[in-house]
Amino acid sequence: MAELWCLWHLLLTVVVAVAFIAPGVFAHPAHGKELLAKKVSQLMSWTKKDRVIRMSETMFYNFVFDEPKNYSVIVMFTALHEFSSCVMCKGAAEEFQILANSYQHPGAFTTKVFFAMVDYDESPEVFEALQITLVPNFFHFSAKWEFTTDDIYGLRGRDIVADQLAEWVAERTHVSVSLRQPTKNYHGLLKPAILLTLIGGLGYSLKWHRKSISCSILCKFSTLCFVILMISGQIWTYIRGEPYAQRDPRTGQKHYISKLSQAQFAAETYIISLLNMCVTLGMLLLDKATTSRTNIIKRKMMCLCGVCLVAIFFSWLLALFRFKIPDYPYSFLFD
């Protein structure tokens, strides 16, 4: 299998090199500088709208293959259509978007490197011309009209993550930039909001239910909620620099739950914590219903509320696991 991969890699390099260098043979340098300025200006205009330029076949050949050119282009070849069945493509596009945002951030903007994306469903001719059969794939098209095997992002010993892609881009283009993970200070507002909500609920309960069983349940519930927050994975997401949420580069829709089983957004940790808290409250109500000496009506109400909380929110937890891992074997009410 390794030999086949190397053979395909070498063949692809030859094909791309021939296609890449060929346009320069018949180029006419009469208005080279003027044309180059127009091309760079157009690329900058597109980049301001979207850091990753979605290229059609015509755009690809005009701005990546044709002369003149004094810039490098990092192109992601992908298949993001919902019927393409490319499991890795969406996650790879998100990492590629983070990479492009870092290079085109106002503090690190450069006209030496541009980022583009070519989708198979939109431009299959480009894939056929370059004989690309595997996606996602990342190519570096140099300003020097050179192409080697190193200009194809190899997956041996590497993953499709923004930091490793950044290292490869810096190696090929000699333009490095600090990777900027989006929205790392997301916890600045949410944590105080959760704390204020808990304190407000505690104050309300102590004011109106001093001698009722609600105070006892609230104390236990608050303690368990604190434990849940501490083990929710907030430190893990902070260390990894995970975003609060991410926007799909294809549809523009914002996602609060990562579809990758090995990744977790910050918002996702809050959602899971909230679901666990609701399940915890349901279990506390069930426990209190069986041990309390209050009248039978209150006990029945606590039991009913407890069963509903456990059934609904635990089912949502299982549904979330199945969303991230389709082969997850367990389900409950909602699937």
Side-chain angles (χ1 to χ4, degrees), residues 205-264:
S205 179
L206 291 177
K207 180 178 179 181
W208 298 103
H209 304 284
R210 290 180 181 178
K211 297 182 180 180
S212 67
I213 58 172
S214 299
C215 183
S216 174
I217 293 177
L218 183 61
C219 291
K220 296 176 182 177
F221 177 63
S222 301
T223 303
L224 290 173
C225 285
F226 178 78
V227 174
I228 290 172
L229 283 175
M230 292 299 101
I231 63 174
S232 63
Q234 286 298 309
I235 299 298
W236 183 82
T237 57
Y238 180 78
I239 292 174
R240 284 178 55 91
E242 296 289 344
Y244 177 74
Q246 277 192 357
R247 193 177 299 277
D248 191 326
R250 184 174 183 273
T251 63
Q253 184 179 2
K254 203 167 188 178
H255 296 285
Y256 297 93
I257 298 176
S258 174
K259 294 184 179 180
L260 302 177
S261 60
Q262 297 179 348
Q264 188 177 40

Side-chain angles (χ1 to χ4, degrees), residues 20-235:
F20 192 42
I21 297 173
V25 176
F26 305 100
H28 298 281
H31 304 287
K33 291 184 177 180
E34 182 180 352
L35 180 59
L36 176 61
K38 288 183 179 179
K39 291 174 69 173
V40 172
S41 177
Q42 182 62 71
L43 287 170
M44 290 175 63
S45 177
W46 285 331
T47 299
K48 290 178 180 179
K49 296 179 181 178
D50 192 345
R51 298 295 188 257
V52 177
I53 305 170
R54 296 186 68 89
M55 286 191 170
S56 62
E57 178 189 4
T58 303
M59 293 168 61
F60 180 80
Y61 285 114
N62 287 343
F63 291 90
V64 177
F65 272 178
D66 285 353
E67 287 186 328
K69 194 178 71 159
N70 67 348
Y71 51 83
S72 295
V73 185
I74 307 299
V75 182
M76 175 182 178
F77 295 94
T78 185
L80 291 174
H81 196 278
E82 58 182 349
F83 299 110
S84 298
S85 301
C86 179
V87 178
M88 296 176 57
C89 287
K90 290 184 178 180
E94 293 173 358
E95 296 294 323
F96 192 61
Q97 188 73 46
I98 294 173
L99 174 67
N101 290 343
S102 300
Y103 271 83
Q104 303 301 338
H105 190 269
F109 188 83
T110 175
T111 58
K112 297 299 182 182
V113 183
F114 292 96
F115 295 84
M117 180 182 295
V118 179
D119 195 295
Y120 177 78
D121 296 294
E122 298 172 1
S123 306
E125 300 84 1
V126 177
F127 283 75
E128 293 175 5
L130 300 181
Q131 297 186 8
I132 298 175
T133 57
L134 298 176
V135 290
N137 233 313
F138 302 89
F139 282 37
H140 165 241
F141 296 96
S142 171
K144 299 179 180 178
W145 298 96
E146 299 174 353
F147 194 88
T148 66
T149 54
D150 293 330
D151 289 309
I152 303 176
Y153 184 75
L155 295 179
R156 283 189 173 184
R158 290 190 290 197
D159 296 321
I160 304 178
V161 292
D163 53 351
Q164 295 186 17
L165 283 169
E167 292 177 3
W168 172 70
V169 172
E171 176 188 331
R172 304 312 304 160
T173 64
H174 305 292
V175 179
S176 59
V177 70
S178 298
L179 196 66
R180 299 178 64 92
Q181 293 287 354
T183 322
K184 291 189 69 173
N185 59 343
Y186 54 82
H187 58 285
L189 295 176
L190 280 179
K191 287 186 176 179
I194 293 175
L195 182 60
L196 288 175
T197 302
L198 291 175
I199 293 174
L202 179 61
Y204 178 84
S205 179
L206 291 177
K207 180 178 179 181
W208 298 103
H209 304 284
R210 290 180 181 178
K211 297 182 180 180
S212 67
I213 58 172
S214 299
C215 183
S216 174
I217 293 177
L218 183 61
C219 291
K220 296 176 182 177
F221 177 63
S222 301
T223 303
L224 290 173
C225 285
F226 178 78
V227 174
I228 290 172
L229 283 175
M230 292 299 101
I231 63 174
S232 63
Q234 286 298 309
I235 299 298

Side-chain angles (χ1 to χ4, degrees), residues 275-293:
L275 296 178
N276 280 317
M277 289 177 187
C278 293
V279 173
T280 300
L281 180 59
M283 295 300 296
L284 287 174
L285 288 174
L286 288 174
D287 176 72
K288 199 66 180 179
T290 58
T291 59
S292 176
R293 296 182 180 180

Side-chain angles (χ1 to χ4, degrees), residues 8-24:
W8 175 85
H9 207 270
L10 182 61
L11 178 62
L12 184 59
T13 303
V14 174
V15 172
V16 175
V18 171
F20 192 42
I21 297 173

